[in-house]
Amino acid sequence: MDASILDFPHASLSDIFANLAAGPEADVTVVTPNRRLAAALKRKFDVTQASLGRLTWTSADILPMAAFMERVYENAFYGVQSSLPALLTSFQEQVLWEDVIMRSESGAALLAVAGTARLAREAWEIIHAWE
């Protein structure tokens, strides 16, 4: 096994939750590979805060990778002198996929272009999530 992996610093969940509990001032964000894990960690964080007797607390900043990347992009996009193009909405992506499929060699023969476009878009997202 690669030595750099073994030397990677470890943090316990209680340490991470303590940092998250410090609120926005701590500038801590936990990034997960998917929404399900982000939601599970948020629930566990809330249970932990309640078990400590807290009546109120700041919501933990726990995001799936896609939401984190969107946040980073938007921060850069709205930053000083940004020349980044705007992100497409889901609707705009769908329209582009439909257009690409309709212009393809076999697109005109398809009965469900919208459904095919949706599946193509989902496949593209899955492939790029594994890169």
Side-chain angles (χ1 to χ4, degrees), residues 53-86:
R54 297 193 172 119
L55 298 176
T56 63
W57 55 87
T58 302
S59 179
D61 192 17
I62 303 174
L63 301 171
M65 178 62 79
F68 176 73
M69 294 303 296
E70 189 171 325
R71 177 192 286 175
V72 169
Y73 181 89
E74 286 181 0
N75 286 344
F77 181 75
Y78 293 112
V80 179
Q81 298 181 355
S82 174
S83 61
L84 294 173

Side-chain angles (χ1 to χ4, degrees), residues 32-107:
T32 66
N34 55 52
R35 286 184 294 213
R36 188 179 70 225
L37 181 56
L41 285 174
K42 279 188 174 195
R43 279 191 303 277
K44 184 147 180 77
F45 175 80
D46 290 342
V47 167
T48 300
Q49 297 306 301
S51 71
L52 293 171
R54 297 193 172 119
L55 298 176
T56 63
W57 55 87
T58 302
S59 179
D61 192 17
I62 303 174
L63 301 171
M65 178 62 79
F68 176 73
M69 294 303 296
E70 189 171 325
R71 177 192 286 175
V72 169
Y73 181 89
E74 286 181 0
N75 286 344
F77 181 75
Y78 293 112
V80 179
Q81 298 181 355
S82 174
S83 61
L84 294 173
L87 289 177
L88 297 176
T89 66
S90 294
F91 177 75
Q92 289 169 325
E93 285 182 39
Q94 178 70 21
V95 169
L96 284 176
W97 275 107
E98 289 177 19
D99 185 55
V100 167
I101 289 169
M102 283 302 296
R103 292 173 186 249
S104 72
E105 192 173 299
S106 56

